[in-house]
Amino acid sequence: MAQDLKLFIAGEWTEGTGDDHYEVSSPVTGEHIYSVPKASQADIDRAVAAARGATEEMRHWTAFERAEVCLRIYDLWQERVDDVARILTMEQGKPFTEESLEDIAESGDYFQIAAEDVKRLAGEFIPTTERTRRMFTVHRPVGVWAAITPWNFPVMIPMEYVGPGLATGNALIVKPPEFTSWALLEMGKVFEEAGVPKGAISIIPGAGDIGESLVTHNGIDAIGFTGSSATGARIVSQMGLKRSILEMSGNGPTVVTGDADIKKAAEAAVYGAYYNAGQVCVATERLIVLDEVHDEFVEAAMKAAEVVRLGDPFDDNTNMGPLNNRATAEKMDRHVADAVERGAEVLLGGKRATGHPTDLYYEFTVIDRVPEESLVSQEESFGPVLPILSARDDADAVAVANRTRLGLQAAVFTNDLTKAFYYADRIRSGTVIVNDSTDTWETFQPFGGAAGTDTGWGRQRIDDFTDLQTIVFSLRDE
Ligand code: ADP
């Protein structure tokens, strides 16, 4: 039975005042699963006004009061993990047991960690040139944020903004894509039950036009955006002087050096390519293997690929579900065809799988001898593909690694400490992982792009959600 969802605006569940609805079907079954109203400009204005009121109120709360609300959310969150994870699998396609349960549970952790962090978020007492002057800094909330988030982690990514944002006294309007908003709206009930001030968190699903209305809204102070570099560039050109955190496309790479543990590297690379069917900004999307270990690596990768079990994501045995949407599946088709045209060799998969309820199930794919200029190497494929490129030596590997604008999270496999630093010091990437998958993740790891790339400026610490105010006192001269 398809659900009729409501928007969560100013602490209320509402149909909004718009005329349209989005109709959404599941990538898993193809069935129509829900309908969600499309917000009108008046709905957006109401959410912004309520958010302003909420942040004006919360800026006067103590850090301990805000932490208490976050901990209430954290506690209530745990009770809903199972139900919401089921919805997540239905609308997103990721495997329920292997991924969704942990995904939803971890999304709640942001509130616990933010509650801890905010209690220690101290300002500084700053030395002055005058004996009668005292100067110190205080962390104030930035104000009202629009959090514009993608469909691959439709609950977790919004919480990366909402957890620390709320703990520091901000109000947030979350805009998930219309086609992955059910799990998030379901979790929205927790905010209500936890006693979050009305308007401090609103959830307005929608497509790019709703995002654009928020980005250009005068009542919004800051933008949190996770998505593609192309959309990020558009947002930057439209947002004016608003504060921002932007986390955008990534394209690895993973480098496998001559002295690497090849089996471990192959297993980590395969995992990084099939986890969430490759629909992760830190997926292993580009493998650079040194010539001297190429054949050994390919053999190990083919062996490691035997673990992938594509199928019904509600089946406990499945560890890879369908792709989420048509555009992503078509991009995979395009990238594979382009690689083949340029002379690459498909060793495994390379096409949509048959015999499933939708045509979004894609075979796990390994492509060898990928020319550097092919799309699968240059762009973010966002699908279950492991493209293998080669390099002559370490210097060549670094050069290949850096010929991308998408250096978000890279990995290098080596058993030589000096070599690990050689790569870490030279690869232009927000994060460099040594001896593990690019898909390695820690809740609250400082995360974001590297300067000089198209990956944005990410979220480093809870202070990013605050505005540092300096207070200067002039004392009586006694
Ligand atoms: P993808 O290509 O993976 O869908 P996008 O960057 O297009 O990634 O989408 C990420 C988020 O940005 C989504 O919530 C989407 O609706 C939103 N979005 C798309 N276009 C715009 C825009 N012009 N302004 C603001 N938000 C947008």
Side-chain angles (χ1 to χ4, degrees):
M1 256 279 278
Q3 302 285 312
D4 286 324
L5 304 183
K6 294 201 165 127
L7 311 172
F8 186 54
I9 294 180
E12 283 159 23
W13 296 97
T14 168
E15 305 234 319
T17 57
D19 302 326
D20 289 342
H21 282 73
Y22 300 105
E23 304 298 337
V24 178
S25 44
S26 166
V28 179
T29 61
E31 291 163 334
H32 177 228
I33 46 173
Y34 68 82
S35 159
V36 65
K38 179 172 180 188
S40 66
Q41 187 60 44
D43 299 329
I44 292 171
D45 292 343
R46 198 156 80 81
V48 172
R52 284 242 74 83
T55 186
E56 285 308 323
E57 181 193 331
M58 286 189 301
R59 68 186 283 128
H60 301 295
W61 290 17
T62 69
F64 284 75
E65 288 172 298
R66 294 192 299 250
E68 206 178 300
V69 174
C70 287
L71 290 176
R72 276 207 299 278
I73 294 174
Y74 174 73
D75 286 343
L76 291 164
W77 192 278
Q78 310 308 316
E79 295 166 18
R80 290 185 186 252
V81 168
D82 200 272
D83 289 349
V84 175
R86 253 169 235 290
I87 296 172
L88 178 65
T89 293
M90 186 57 95
E91 69 178 353
Q92 204 282 333
K94 61 182 72 187
F96 173 72
T97 308
E98 286 272 333
E99 296 185 20
S100 286
L101 285 170
E102 194 187 344
D103 182 325
I104 296 297
E106 189 183 330
S107 306
D109 294 350
Y110 284 92
F111 293 95
Q112 188 189 41
I113 297 169
E116 291 164 352
D117 280 353
V118 75
K119 291 180 196 166
R120 306 285 174 266
L121 186 62
E124 277 184 303
F125 208 87
I126 296 166
T128 55
T129 54
E130 302 288 330
R131 288 185 176 190
T132 54
R133 191 175 289 155
R134 300 289 182 272
M135 180 156 68
F136 55 94
T137 53
V138 185
H139 288 276
R140 303 293 190 193
V142 172
V144 178
W145 288 73
I148 298 173
T149 54
W151 46 263
N152 55 345
F153 293 89
V155 178
M156 187 184 295
I157 291 175
M159 295 315 114
E160 294 174 3
Y161 296 105
V162 174
L166 188 70
T168 45
N170 297 272
L172 301 102
I173 299 169
V174 184
K175 191 216 75 67
E178 70 282 12
F179 52 93
T180 50
S181 56
W182 184 8
L184 180 64
L185 285 165
E186 191 61 28
M187 259 320 176
K189 294 174 185 165
V190 161
F191 304 137
E192 203 182 8
E193 285 169 35
V196 168
K198 283 189 189 309
I201 306 170
S202 288
I203 305 172
I204 306 182
D209 56 338
I210 302 281
E212 205 164 312
S213 302
L214 290 165
V215 165
T216 53
H217 203 292
N218 284 337
I220 301 271
D221 303 307
I223 308 294
F225 170 72
T226 306
S228 63
S229 302
T231 300
R234 198 179 157 88
I235 288 176
V236 169
S237 72
Q238 290 188 320
M239 72 184 180
L241 298 178
K242 294 180 172 69
R243 289 282 186 85
S244 64
I245 294 176
L246 298 159
E247 292 178 4
M248 304 188 284
S249 312
N251 195 13
T254 294
V255 179
V256 183
T257 69
D259 61 43
D261 177 337
I262 299 293
K263 181 165 179 279
K264 189 175 178 201
E267 286 168 359
V270 166
Y271 171 80
Y274 83 75
Y275 181 81
N276 199 14
Q279 303 164 117
V280 187
C281 56
V282 295
T284 306
E285 296 225 7
R286 202 161 56 108
L287 218 72
I288 303 170
V289 181
L290 264 72
D291 286 336
E292 61 193 280
V293 288
H294 172 270
D295 294 354
E296 194 188 339
F297 179 83
V298 169
E299 198 183 318
M302 293 300 284
K303 178 103 191 81
E306 289 170 13
V307 302
V308 184
R309 295 179 306 275
L310 172 68
D312 174 2
F314 286 103
D315 182 337
D316 286 347
N317 200 36
T318 296
N319 58 15
M320 190 170 89
L323 292 169
N324 175 257
N325 56 67
R326 189 160 308 283
T328 302
E330 286 170 357
K331 192 176 184 190
M332 269 296 285
D333 294 339
R334 251 191 341 270
H335 282 199
V336 173
D338 171 79
V340 169
E341 218 164 90
R342 291 174 193 270
E345 201 184 330
V346 175
L347 300 182
L348 190 67
K351 57 184 190 311
R352 314 235 190 157
T354 51
H356 298 279
T358 70
D359 64 358
L360 297 172
Y361 292 73
Y362 209 100
E363 292 178 356
F364 184 69
T365 300
V366 179
I367 313 181
D368 193 18
R369 310 275 175 207
V370 172
E372 206 189 323
E373 59 282 7
S374 43
L375 294 175
V376 80
S377 150
Q378 291 294 318
E379 295 180 11
E380 189 179 39
S381 300
F382 236 53
V385 57
L386 192 65
I388 302 173
L389 288 78
S390 23
R392 291 183 304 279
D393 51 28
D394 294 318
D396 188 32
V398 168
V400 177
N402 285 340
R403 277 196 288 269
T404 175
R405 303 285 305 167
L406 305 178
L408 188 62
Q409 186 147 295
V412 55
F413 281 83
T414 173
N415 282 318
D416 177 338
L417 193 57
T418 304
K419 201 184 280 183
F421 275 100
Y422 173 88
Y423 279 96
D425 290 347
R426 287 167 181 78
I427 292 184
R428 209 171 51 229
S429 177
T431 308
V432 177
I433 311 265
V434 179
N435 289 338
D436 209 341
S437 167
T438 52
D439 242 346
T440 303
W441 184 249
E442 282 282 339
T443 311
F444 253 76
Q445 79 180 58
F447 181 71
T453 72
D454 296 341
T455 49
W457 34 99
R459 167 178 50 85
Q460 312 299 337
R461 293 152 57 102
I462 194 165
D463 343 5
D464 294 341
F465 293 84
T466 67
D467 188 23
L468 204 60
Q469 183 182 45
T470 305
I471 300 177
V472 182
F473 264 91
S474 186
L475 305 178
R476 259 200 321 272
D477 197 2
E478 302 219 329

